[in-house]
Amino acid sequence: MNTDNMKNKKTNTIKQFFKSLYAKLFEINDTPQKIALGFGLGVFLGNFPGTGPIAALFLAWVLRLNRASALLGALLTNTWMSFFTLIVSIKVSSIILKINPQDVLRDWSKFLKDFHWLNLLKLSLLKIIFPIIVGYFIVSLFLGFIAYLIILAIFTHKKITSRKPPSP
């Protein structure tokens, strides 16, 4: 099989995945607000370290939001997005907590490089983890809110356009 055929096959597979994802999202039978809130919750929990799809499903169930959109939001952002938002999270928390972002990043890198389970019990770890958790919370909350607004706008527009009577 030549490389052009392999590239076309990968491109078609990716296109099919997103078409299927789009179709499944729009086949959800719920209010736009519940779908958007579920998706926003999923994005928040998918990006926030230590949480993910199971937490999104559980909280969506508890809050009576759309579980399918919560799961979808969590799966789309789970893990991979956390790596991209680490630096942003450190910078945001540094501004809020009035600390030097380079110190936090340096301490975090050193902690990961020399990781030992016993280090988790040290109080000095609080100066490393706390700023990162604060930053991730704020960044994840922001991303979840933006995702909520986008999905709400899409579903509200879809609902309005589907109600319009056909033009003569």
Side-chain angles (χ1 to χ4, degrees):
M1 185 179 264
N2 66 28
T3 49
D4 287 338
N5 285 342
M6 287 175 46
K7 286 180 184 178
N8 288 338
K9 189 174 181 178
K10 286 180 185 179
T11 304
N12 288 338
T13 304
I14 292 170
K15 285 180 185 178
Q16 281 297 99
F17 171 75
F18 282 110
K19 283 181 183 180
S20 171
L21 194 64
Y22 179 83
K24 286 177 183 175
L25 189 60
F26 279 99
E27 289 174 7
I28 296 172
N29 188 19
D30 215 340
T31 66
Q33 290 79 15
K34 284 187 176 187
I35 295 169
L37 280 170
F39 192 81
L41 177 71
V43 168
F44 170 78
L45 291 172
N47 187 59
F48 196 77
T51 60
I54 294 172
L57 277 173
F58 178 73
L59 275 176
W61 175 72
V62 168
L63 298 172
R64 296 189 176 170
L65 301 175
N66 189 283
R67 292 184 303 261
S69 65
L71 179 62
L72 184 61
L75 289 174
L76 288 175
T77 59
N78 195 22
T79 308
W80 71 270
M81 196 161 178
S82 297
F83 295 115
F84 294 115
T85 57
L86 175 65
I87 302 299
V88 175
S89 298
I90 289 173
K91 290 197 184 267
V92 166
S93 68
S94 297
I95 292 168
I96 291 170
L97 300 173
K98 295 179 174 51
I99 55 177
N100 186 349
Q102 284 80 20
D103 291 344
V104 175
L105 190 57
R106 184 191 64 240
D107 292 344
W108 180 252
S109 297
K110 183 180 177 191
F111 169 71
L112 291 178
K113 182 180 175 189
D114 301 330
F115 181 78
H116 297 286
W117 286 105
L118 293 175
N119 288 345
L120 291 174
L121 302 175
K122 292 182 181 177
L123 281 176
S124 63
L125 187 62
L126 199 58
K127 75 176 190 173
I128 301 169
I129 290 182
F130 183 69
I132 291 175
I133 295 296
V134 168
Y136 265 118
F137 181 81
I138 293 167
V139 170
S140 297
L141 194 62
F142 175 75
L143 292 173
F145 182 69
I146 295 299
Y148 162 76
L149 291 176
I150 290 169
I151 297 298
L152 182 64
I154 290 169
F155 275 87
T156 303
H157 176 72
K158 179 190 173 279
K159 196 171 191 176
I160 290 170
T161 56
S162 67
R163 286 186 183 174
K164 286 183 181 178
S167 309

